[in-house]
Amino acid sequence: MNPSLALIVVIQVDAAQDLRGILIRIGRFKSLESQYIKVHLKPIKQLWEDFDSRERASKPANEKNEMDRTSSGGDFQSVSPAIPFSSWLPSFYDELLLYLEQEWKWY
């Protein structure tokens, strides 16, 4: 990091710490903290909901394929099988870790 950028970061950290102290003194830090948590949980919640939305999207297709298979007597597989939760979970943890690492860089 170049020296001028490092100075800006240090100044911003000092200013943020000063503002934090002010918020604590006036009793508003908890509201800022809850807002911060709400904002920063959205990307994590979105990662989690992506799995649910993929599951819901693939369910009607799987049901249609199941009805087609039973009505035609065929044994074909679903065109878009759902990703099993156990296979998806490690990728969720990878994305979560990446997000937390990026967040950690700010501290």
Side-chain angles (χ1 to χ4, degrees):
M1 178 180 294
N2 76 36
S4 58
L5 182 58
L7 180 61
I8 291 171
V9 169
V10 169
I11 291 170
Q12 288 177 345
V13 168
D14 290 342
Q17 288 173 339
D18 291 343
L19 290 173
R20 180 181 177 269
I22 292 168
L23 289 170
I24 290 171
R25 280 194 300 277
I26 65 172
R28 299 292 295 172
F29 183 73
K30 284 294 180 191
S31 63
L32 175 67
E33 187 179 52
S34 65
Q35 239 355 70
Y36 177 86
I37 290 168
K38 185 195 293 185
V39 167
H40 286 271
L41 280 180
K42 282 185 179 183
I44 296 169
K45 187 177 178 190
Q46 185 62 46
L47 285 172
W48 187 262
E49 289 173 346
D50 284 347
F51 177 78
D52 288 339
S53 62
R54 264 187 262 152
E55 283 294 303
R56 281 193 297 270
S58 67
K59 197 172 199 175
N62 288 341
E63 289 171 357
K64 181 186 180 306
N65 289 337
E66 181 65 28
M67 286 193 307
D68 290 347
R69 184 177 55 134
T70 55
S71 65
S72 67
D75 284 335
F76 58 87
Q77 294 283 330
S78 169
V79 176
S80 60
I83 299 170
F85 182 75
S86 59
S87 297
W88 171 82
L89 193 57
S91 67
F92 170 77
Y93 283 132
D94 290 342
E95 291 290 326
L96 179 60
L97 182 60
L98 179 63
Y99 179 79
L100 293 175
E101 286 174 346
Q102 291 171 352
E103 185 72 17
W104 180 77
K105 288 179 184 178
W106 284 95
Y107 293 105

mmCIF file of all heavy atoms in Angstrom, residues 54-94:
data_model
loop_
_atom_site.group_PDB
_atom_site.id
_atom_site.type_symbol
_atom_site.label_atom_id
_atom_site.label_comp_id
_atom_site.label_asym_id
_atom_site.label_seq_id
_atom_site.Cartn_x
_atom_site.Cartn_y
_atom_site.Cartn_z
ATOM 1 N N ARG A 54 -33.382 -22.066 -6.241
ATOM 2 C CA ARG A 54 -33.047 -23.103 -7.229
ATOM 3 C C ARG A 54 -33.860 -24.363 -6.995
ATOM 4 O O ARG A 54 -34.312 -25.008 -7.937
ATOM 5 C CB ARG A 54 -31.556 -23.440 -7.173
ATOM 6 C CG ARG A 54 -30.767 -22.688 -8.187
ATOM 7 C CD ARG A 54 -29.356 -23.164 -8.219
ATOM 8 N NE ARG A 54 -28.628 -22.192 -7.406
ATOM 9 C CZ ARG A 54 -27.542 -22.421 -6.723
ATOM 10 N NH1 ARG A 54 -27.011 -23.595 -6.724
ATOM 11 N NH2 ARG A 54 -26.965 -21.490 -6.031
ATOM 12 N N GLU A 55 -34.044 -24.710 -5.727
ATOM 13 C CA GLU A 55 -34.848 -25.881 -5.391
ATOM 14 C C GLU A 55 -36.289 -25.704 -5.861
ATOM 15 O O GLU A 55 -36.872 -26.601 -6.453
ATOM 16 C CB GLU A 55 -34.824 -26.140 -3.880
ATOM 17 C CG GLU A 55 -33.552 -26.772 -3.382
ATOM 18 C CD GLU A 55 -33.369 -28.176 -3.913
ATOM 19 O OE1 GLU A 55 -34.257 -29.029 -3.700
ATOM 20 O OE2 GLU A 55 -32.351 -28.416 -4.568
ATOM 21 N N ARG A 56 -36.859 -24.523 -5.586
ATOM 22 C CA ARG A 56 -38.240 -24.269 -5.998
ATOM 23 C C ARG A 56 -38.374 -24.259 -7.519
ATOM 24 O O ARG A 56 -39.353 -24.708 -8.066
ATOM 25 C CB ARG A 56 -38.732 -22.951 -5.406
ATOM 26 C CG ARG A 56 -39.128 -23.059 -3.959
ATOM 27 C CD ARG A 56 -39.896 -21.827 -3.509
ATOM 28 N NE ARG A 56 -39.102 -20.619 -3.575
ATOM 29 C CZ ARG A 56 -38.353 -20.151 -2.589
ATOM 30 N NH1 ARG A 56 -38.283 -20.803 -1.466
ATOM 31 N NH2 ARG A 56 -37.679 -19.035 -2.727
ATOM 32 N N ALA A 57 -37.372 -23.704 -8.198
ATOM 33 C CA ALA A 57 -37.429 -23.636 -9.660
ATOM 34 C C ALA A 57 -37.322 -25.019 -10.285
ATOM 35 O O ALA A 57 -37.958 -25.295 -11.304
ATOM 36 C CB ALA A 57 -36.313 -22.743 -10.185
ATOM 37 N N SER A 58 -36.541 -25.897 -9.689
ATOM 38 C CA SER A 58 -36.360 -27.221 -10.280
ATOM 39 C C SER A 58 -37.484 -28.176 -9.893
ATOM 40 O O SER A 58 -37.728 -29.150 -10.583
ATOM 41 C CB SER A 58 -35.010 -27.813 -9.880
ATOM 42 O OG SER A 58 -34.979 -28.081 -8.505
ATOM 43 N N LYS A 59 -38.210 -27.874 -8.818
ATOM 44 C CA LYS A 59 -39.265 -28.772 -8.360
ATOM 45 C C LYS A 59 -40.393 -28.925 -9.392
ATOM 46 O O LYS A 59 -40.766 -30.040 -9.720
ATOM 47 C CB LYS A 59 -39.815 -28.290 -7.025
ATOM 48 C CG LYS A 59 -40.591 -29.329 -6.291
ATOM 49 C CD LYS A 59 -40.933 -28.827 -4.904
ATOM 50 C CE LYS A 59 -41.286 -29.999 -4.024
ATOM 51 N NZ LYS A 59 -41.511 -29.608 -2.649
ATOM 52 N N PRO A 60 -40.948 -27.835 -9.939
ATOM 53 C CA PRO A 60 -42.002 -28.009 -10.952
ATOM 54 C C PRO A 60 -41.505 -28.779 -12.184
ATOM 55 O O PRO A 60 -42.220 -29.598 -12.736
ATOM 56 C CB PRO A 60 -42.403 -26.583 -11.328
ATOM 57 C CG PRO A 60 -41.998 -25.746 -10.165
ATOM 58 C CD PRO A 60 -40.779 -26.422 -9.601
ATOM 59 N N ALA A 61 -40.270 -28.529 -12.594
ATOM 60 C CA ALA A 61 -39.731 -29.245 -13.747
ATOM 61 C C ALA A 61 -39.602 -30.727 -13.429
ATOM 62 O O ALA A 61 -39.915 -31.586 -14.260
ATOM 63 C CB ALA A 61 -38.373 -28.670 -14.143
ATOM 64 N N ASN A 62 -39.144 -31.048 -12.226
ATOM 65 C CA ASN A 62 -39.021 -32.450 -11.829
ATOM 66 C C ASN A 62 -40.381 -33.117 -11.736
ATOM 67 O O ASN A 62 -40.539 -34.266 -12.142
ATOM 68 C CB ASN A 62 -38.296 -32.564 -10.474
ATOM 69 C CG ASN A 62 -36.825 -32.252 -10.598
ATOM 70 O OD1 ASN A 62 -36.262 -32.281 -11.684
ATOM 71 N ND2 ASN A 62 -36.205 -31.929 -9.471
ATOM 72 N N GLU A 63 -41.392 -32.395 -11.202
ATOM 73 C CA GLU A 63 -42.737 -32.959 -11.117
ATOM 74 C C GLU A 63 -43.316 -33.196 -12.507
ATOM 75 O O GLU A 63 -43.943 -34.217 -12.761
ATOM 76 C CB GLU A 63 -43.635 -32.032 -10.304
ATOM 77 C CG GLU A 63 -43.303 -32.025 -8.830
ATOM 78 C CD GLU A 63 -44.047 -30.962 -8.060
ATOM 79 O OE1 GLU A 63 -44.791 -30.166 -8.689
ATOM 80 O OE2 GLU A 63 -43.877 -30.910 -6.836
ATOM 81 N N LYS A 64 -43.094 -32.254 -13.439
ATOM 82 C CA LYS A 64 -43.586 -32.419 -14.804
ATOM 83 C C LYS A 64 -42.918 -33.621 -15.450
ATOM 84 O O LYS A 64 -43.572 -34.446 -16.086
ATOM 85 C CB LYS A 64 -43.322 -31.159 -15.630
ATOM 86 C CG LYS A 64 -43.836 -31.274 -17.064
ATOM 87 C CD LYS A 64 -43.428 -30.066 -17.877
ATOM 88 C CE LYS A 64 -43.928 -30.135 -19.298
ATOM 89 N NZ LYS A 64 -43.557 -31.338 -20.003
ATOM 90 N N ASN A 65 -41.606 -33.749 -15.294
ATOM 91 C CA ASN A 65 -40.893 -34.888 -15.863
ATOM 92 C C ASN A 65 -41.364 -36.197 -15.249
ATOM 93 O O ASN A 65 -41.457 -37.210 -15.938
ATOM 94 C CB ASN A 65 -39.381 -34.742 -15.665
ATOM 95 C CG ASN A 65 -38.798 -33.660 -16.546
ATOM 96 O OD1 ASN A 65 -39.378 -33.314 -17.571
ATOM 97 N ND2 ASN A 65 -37.671 -33.108 -16.131
ATOM 98 N N GLU A 66 -41.683 -36.187 -13.972
ATOM 99 C CA GLU A 66 -42.180 -37.385 -13.301
ATOM 100 C C GLU A 66 -43.531 -37.776 -13.870
ATOM 101 O O GLU A 66 -43.796 -38.955 -14.145
ATOM 102 C CB GLU A 66 -42.285 -37.137 -11.791
ATOM 103 C CG GLU A 66 -42.763 -38.319 -10.995
ATOM 104 C CD GLU A 66 -41.817 -39.508 -11.018
ATOM 105 O OE1 GLU A 66 -40.603 -39.314 -11.174
ATOM 106 O OE2 GLU A 66 -42.312 -40.650 -10.896
ATOM 107 N N MET A 67 -44.432 -36.779 -14.103
ATOM 108 C CA MET A 67 -45.740 -37.078 -14.681
ATOM 109 C C MET A 67 -45.584 -37.587 -16.107
ATOM 110 O O MET A 67 -46.250 -38.526 -16.506
ATOM 111 C CB MET A 67 -46.632 -35.841 -14.654
ATOM 112 C CG MET A 67 -47.141 -35.514 -13.269
ATOM 113 S SD MET A 67 -48.478 -34.315 -13.224
ATOM 114 C CE MET A 67 -47.832 -32.961 -14.155
ATOM 115 N N ASP A 68 -44.698 -36.973 -16.890
ATOM 116 C CA ASP A 68 -44.459 -37.431 -18.256
ATOM 117 C C ASP A 68 -43.938 -38.863 -18.261
ATOM 118 O O ASP A 68 -44.345 -39.677 -19.074
ATOM 119 C CB ASP A 68 -43.448 -36.526 -18.967
ATOM 120 C CG ASP A 68 -44.011 -35.148 -19.270
ATOM 121 O OD1 ASP A 68 -45.246 -34.982 -19.150
ATOM 122 O OD2 ASP A 68 -43.214 -34.250 -19.596
ATOM 123 N N ARG A 69 -43.044 -39.163 -17.330
ATOM 124 C CA ARG A 69 -42.434 -40.492 -17.284
ATOM 125 C C ARG A 69 -43.486 -41.537 -16.917
ATOM 126 O O ARG A 69 -43.561 -42.589 -17.536
ATOM 127 C CB ARG A 69 -41.302 -40.510 -16.258
ATOM 128 C CG ARG A 69 -40.561 -41.823 -16.226
ATOM 129 C CD ARG A 69 -39.425 -41.772 -15.263
ATOM 130 N NE ARG A 69 -39.951 -41.376 -13.964
ATOM 131 C CZ ARG A 69 -39.663 -41.953 -12.835
ATOM 132 N NH1 ARG A 69 -38.812 -42.920 -12.778
ATOM 133 N NH2 ARG A 69 -40.195 -41.545 -11.721
ATOM 134 N N THR A 70 -44.343 -41.233 -15.917
ATOM 135 C CA THR A 70 -45.340 -42.216 -15.511
ATOM 136 C C THR A 70 -46.413 -42.379 -16.579
ATOM 137 O O THR A 70 -46.904 -43.478 -16.791
ATOM 138 C CB THR A 70 -45.983 -41.835 -14.167
ATOM 139 O OG1 THR A 70 -46.511 -40.526 -14.260
ATOM 140 C CG2 THR A 70 -44.968 -41.906 -13.041
ATOM 141 N N SER A 71 -46.772 -41.296 -17.276
ATOM 142 C CA SER A 71 -47.815 -41.405 -18.294
ATOM 143 C C SER A 71 -47.298 -42.104 -19.541
ATOM 144 O O SER A 71 -48.043 -42.803 -20.223
ATOM 145 C CB SER A 71 -48.387 -40.031 -18.649
ATOM 146 O OG SER A 71 -47.393 -39.235 -19.259
ATOM 147 N N SER A 72 -46.013 -41.952 -19.848
ATOM 148 C CA SER A 72 -45.481 -42.587 -21.050
ATOM 149 C C SER A 72 -44.849 -43.937 -20.759
ATOM 150 O O SER A 72 -44.505 -44.669 -21.676
ATOM 151 C CB SER A 72 -44.442 -41.672 -21.712
ATOM 152 O OG SER A 72 -43.307 -41.549 -20.879
ATOM 153 N N GLY A 73 -44.665 -44.239 -19.473
ATOM 154 C CA GLY A 73 -44.047 -45.513 -19.118
ATOM 155 C C GLY A 73 -42.549 -45.509 -19.311
ATOM 156 O O GLY A 73 -41.895 -46.542 -19.186
ATOM 157 N N GLY A 74 -41.951 -44.351 -19.612
ATOM 158 C CA GLY A 74 -40.507 -44.260 -19.830
ATOM 159 C C GLY A 74 -39.738 -44.152 -18.528
ATOM 160 O O GLY A 74 -40.299 -43.918 -17.467
ATOM 161 N N ASP A 75 -38.435 -44.342 -18.629
ATOM 162 C CA ASP A 75 -37.574 -44.254 -17.453
ATOM 163 C C ASP A 75 -36.545 -43.155 -17.593
ATOM 164 O O ASP A 75 -35.432 -43.295 -17.125
ATOM 165 C CB ASP A 75 -36.834 -45.588 -17.242
ATOM 166 C CG ASP A 75 -37.749 -46.639 -16.643
ATOM 167 O OD1 ASP A 75 -38.724 -46.254 -15.979
ATOM 168 O OD2 ASP A 75 -37.470 -47.833 -16.839
ATOM 169 N N PHE A 76 -36.882 -42.025 -18.253
ATOM 170 C CA PHE A 76 -35.854 -40.992 -18.424
ATOM 171 C C PHE A 76 -35.682 -40.185 -17.139
ATOM 172 O O PHE A 76 -36.588 -40.072 -16.335
ATOM 173 C CB PHE A 76 -36.154 -40.085 -19.619
ATOM 174 C CG PHE A 76 -37.471 -39.376 -19.548
ATOM 175 C CD1 PHE A 76 -37.558 -38.156 -18.891
ATOM 176 C CD2 PHE A 76 -38.604 -39.906 -20.145
ATOM 177 C CE1 PHE A 76 -38.752 -37.480 -18.840
ATOM 178 C CE2 PHE A 76 -39.797 -39.228 -20.072
ATOM 179 C CZ PHE A 76 -39.881 -38.023 -19.423
ATOM 180 N N GLN A 77 -34.507 -39.612 -16.977
ATOM 181 C CA GLN A 77 -34.177 -38.816 -15.803
ATOM 182 C C GLN A 77 -34.630 -37.371 -16.015
ATOM 183 O O GLN A 77 -34.859 -36.942 -17.134
ATOM 184 C CB GLN A 77 -32.651 -38.821 -15.579
ATOM 185 C CG GLN A 77 -32.102 -40.178 -15.206
ATOM 186 C CD GLN A 77 -32.404 -40.503 -13.749
ATOM 187 O OE1 GLN A 77 -32.500 -39.615 -12.940
ATOM 188 N NE2 GLN A 77 -32.580 -41.774 -13.453
ATOM 189 N N SER A 78 -34.692 -36.638 -14.939
ATOM 190 C CA SER A 78 -35.023 -35.222 -15.004
ATOM 191 C C SER A 78 -33.936 -34.480 -15.783
ATOM 192 O O SER A 78 -32.758 -34.771 -15.648
ATOM 193 C CB SER A 78 -35.116 -34.654 -13.583
ATOM 194 O OG SER A 78 -35.174 -33.267 -13.632
ATOM 195 N N VAL A 79 -34.351 -33.504 -16.586
ATOM 196 C CA VAL A 79 -33.399 -32.742 -17.377
ATOM 197 C C VAL A 79 -32.537 -31.853 -16.489
ATOM 198 O O VAL A 79 -31.352 -31.692 -16.711
ATOM 199 C CB VAL A 79 -34.150 -31.884 -18.435
ATOM 200 C CG1 VAL A 79 -33.186 -31.002 -19.195
ATOM 201 C CG2 VAL A 79 -34.943 -32.775 -19.364
ATOM 202 N N SER A 80 -33.130 -31.265 -15.436
ATOM 203 C CA SER A 80 -32.370 -30.384 -14.551
ATOM 204 C C SER A 80 -32.488 -30.873 -13.107
ATOM 205 O O SER A 80 -33.328 -30.393 -12.368
ATOM 206 C CB SER A 80 -32.879 -28.950 -14.667
ATOM 207 O OG SER A 80 -34.244 -28.909 -14.310
ATOM 208 N N PRO A 81 -31.674 -31.848 -12.733
ATOM 209 C CA PRO A 81 -31.783 -32.365 -11.378
ATOM 210 C C PRO A 81 -31.364 -31.304 -10.364
ATOM 211 O O PRO A 81 -30.492 -30.485 -10.624
ATOM 212 C CB PRO A 81 -30.803 -33.542 -11.363
ATOM 213 C CG PRO A 81 -29.817 -33.234 -12.426
ATOM 214 C CD PRO A 81 -30.582 -32.466 -13.471
ATOM 215 N N ALA A 82 -32.018 -31.324 -9.227
ATOM 216 C CA ALA A 82 -31.680 -30.382 -8.168
ATOM 217 C C ALA A 82 -30.338 -30.764 -7.558
ATOM 218 O O ALA A 82 -29.992 -31.934 -7.480
ATOM 219 C CB ALA A 82 -32.767 -30.401 -7.104
ATOM 220 N N ILE A 83 -29.591 -29.762 -7.132
ATOM 221 C CA ILE A 83 -28.318 -30.008 -6.468
ATOM 222 C C ILE A 83 -28.628 -30.459 -5.044
ATOM 223 O O ILE A 83 -29.359 -29.774 -4.329
ATOM 224 C CB ILE A 83 -27.464 -28.727 -6.423
ATOM 225 C CG1 ILE A 83 -27.163 -28.247 -7.828
ATOM 226 C CG2 ILE A 83 -26.187 -28.943 -5.646
ATOM 227 C CD1 ILE A 83 -26.538 -26.868 -7.881
ATOM 228 N N PRO A 84 -28.078 -31.588 -4.634
ATOM 229 C CA PRO A 84 -28.326 -32.018 -3.253
ATOM 230 C C PRO A 84 -27.751 -31.002 -2.260
ATOM 231 O O PRO A 84 -26.703 -30.403 -2.508
ATOM 232 C CB PRO A 84 -27.586 -33.346 -3.136
ATOM 233 C CG PRO A 84 -27.242 -33.753 -4.520
ATOM 234 C CD PRO A 84 -27.273 -32.535 -5.373
ATOM 235 N N PHE A 85 -28.444 -30.843 -1.155
ATOM 236 C CA PHE A 85 -28.026 -29.887 -0.139
ATOM 237 C C PHE A 85 -26.605 -30.173 0.330
ATOM 238 O O PHE A 85 -25.801 -29.256 0.509
ATOM 239 C CB PHE A 85 -28.995 -29.928 1.044
ATOM 240 C CG PHE A 85 -28.673 -28.934 2.120
ATOM 241 C CD1 PHE A 85 -28.941 -27.593 1.938
ATOM 242 C CD2 PHE A 85 -28.096 -29.347 3.309
ATOM 243 C CE1 PHE A 85 -28.650 -26.671 2.914
ATOM 244 C CE2 PHE A 85 -27.804 -28.432 4.303
ATOM 245 C CZ PHE A 85 -28.083 -27.094 4.108
ATOM 246 N N SER A 86 -26.283 -31.438 0.500
ATOM 247 C CA SER A 86 -24.945 -31.811 0.977
ATOM 248 C C SER A 86 -23.853 -31.443 -0.024
ATOM 249 O O SER A 86 -22.714 -31.207 0.363
ATOM 250 C CB SER A 86 -24.887 -33.305 1.295
ATOM 251 O OG SER A 86 -25.202 -34.062 0.143
ATOM 252 N N SER A 87 -24.178 -31.362 -1.294
ATOM 253 C CA SER A 87 -23.200 -30.940 -2.305
ATOM 254 C C SER A 87 -23.108 -29.419 -2.389
ATOM 255 O O SER A 87 -22.056 -28.873 -2.694
ATOM 256 C CB SER A 87 -23.592 -31.474 -3.681
ATOM 257 O OG SER A 87 -23.569 -32.871 -3.677
ATOM 258 N N TRP A 88 -24.212 -28.756 -2.123
ATOM 259 C CA TRP A 88 -24.251 -27.293 -2.200
ATOM 260 C C TRP A 88 -23.621 -26.629 -0.987
ATOM 261 O O TRP A 88 -22.991 -25.570 -1.099
ATOM 262 C CB TRP A 88 -25.704 -26.832 -2.347
ATOM 263 C CG TRP A 88 -25.872 -25.365 -2.222
ATOM 264 C CD1 TRP A 88 -25.675 -24.426 -3.187
ATOM 265 C CD2 TRP A 88 -26.244 -24.641 -1.041
ATOM 266 N NE1 TRP A 88 -25.914 -23.170 -2.690
ATOM 267 C CE2 TRP A 88 -26.260 -23.274 -1.368
ATOM 268 C CE3 TRP A 88 -26.564 -25.020 0.256
ATOM 269 C CZ2 TRP A 88 -26.599 -22.290 -0.449
ATOM 270 C CZ3 TRP A 88 -26.894 -24.043 1.169
ATOM 271 C CH2 TRP A 88 -26.905 -22.699 0.810
ATOM 272 N N LEU A 89 -23.753 -27.231 0.190
ATOM 273 C CA LEU A 89 -23.319 -26.602 1.435
ATOM 274 C C LEU A 89 -21.844 -26.194 1.443
ATOM 275 O O LEU A 89 -21.531 -25.073 1.865
ATOM 276 C CB LEU A 89 -23.637 -27.508 2.629
ATOM 277 C CG LEU A 89 -23.524 -26.886 4.002
ATOM 278 C CD1 LEU A 89 -24.412 -25.648 4.128
ATOM 279 C CD2 LEU A 89 -23.888 -27.909 5.068
ATOM 280 N N PRO A 90 -20.903 -27.021 0.955
ATOM 281 C CA PRO A 90 -19.502 -26.562 0.931
ATOM 282 C C PRO A 90 -19.301 -25.298 0.090
ATOM 283 O O PRO A 90 -18.511 -24.428 0.464
ATOM 284 C CB PRO A 90 -18.746 -27.746 0.334
ATOM 285 C CG PRO A 90 -19.584 -28.926 0.655
ATOM 286 C CD PRO A 90 -21.008 -28.427 0.581
ATOM 287 N N SER A 91 -20.022 -25.164 -1.014
ATOM 288 C CA SER A 91 -19.880 -23.945 -1.821
ATOM 289 C C SER A 91 -20.454 -22.739 -1.077
ATOM 290 O O SER A 91 -19.928 -21.634 -1.186
ATOM 291 C CB SER A 91 -20.532 -24.111 -3.194
ATOM 292 O OG SER A 91 -21.925 -24.221 -3.073
ATOM 293 N N PHE A 92 -21.520 -22.948 -0.304
ATOM 294 C CA PHE A 92 -22.057 -21.863 0.528
ATOM 295 C C PHE A 92 -21.010 -21.422 1.537
ATOM 296 O O PHE A 92 -20.771 -20.226 1.716
ATOM 297 C CB PHE A 92 -23.324 -22.321 1.248
ATOM 298 C CG PHE A 92 -23.801 -21.343 2.297
ATOM 299 C CD1 PHE A 92 -24.457 -20.179 1.927
ATOM 300 C CD2 PHE A 92 -23.576 -21.591 3.648
ATOM 301 C CE1 PHE A 92 -24.890 -19.270 2.893
ATOM 302 C CE2 PHE A 92 -24.008 -20.689 4.608
ATOM 303 C CZ PHE A 92 -24.661 -19.531 4.232
ATOM 304 N N TYR A 93 -20.362 -22.380 2.192
ATOM 305 C CA TYR A 93 -19.328 -22.035 3.174
ATOM 306 C C TYR A 93 -18.146 -21.329 2.511
ATOM 307 O O TYR A 93 -17.567 -20.409 3.087
ATOM 308 C CB TYR A 93 -18.849 -23.269 3.929
ATOM 309 C CG TYR A 93 -19.819 -23.727 4.990
ATOM 310 C CD1 TYR A 93 -20.187 -25.056 5.090
ATOM 311 C CD2 TYR A 93 -20.373 -22.830 5.901
ATOM 312 C CE1 TYR A 93 -21.069 -25.480 6.073
ATOM 313 C CE2 TYR A 93 -21.259 -23.241 6.868
ATOM 314 C CZ TYR A 93 -21.595 -24.567 6.957
ATOM 315 O OH TYR A 93 -22.476 -24.982 7.921
ATOM 316 N N ASP A 94 -17.791 -21.730 1.308
ATOM 317 C CA ASP A 94 -16.709 -21.048 0.582
ATOM 318 C C ASP A 94 -17.067 -19.587 0.317
ATOM 319 O O ASP A 94 -16.251 -18.684 0.527
ATOM 320 C CB ASP A 94 -16.408 -21.749 -0.748
ATOM 321 C CG ASP A 94 -15.743 -23.094 -0.571
ATOM 322 O OD1 ASP A 94 -15.208 -23.363 0.525
ATOM 323 O OD2 ASP A 94 -15.763 -23.882 -1.537
#
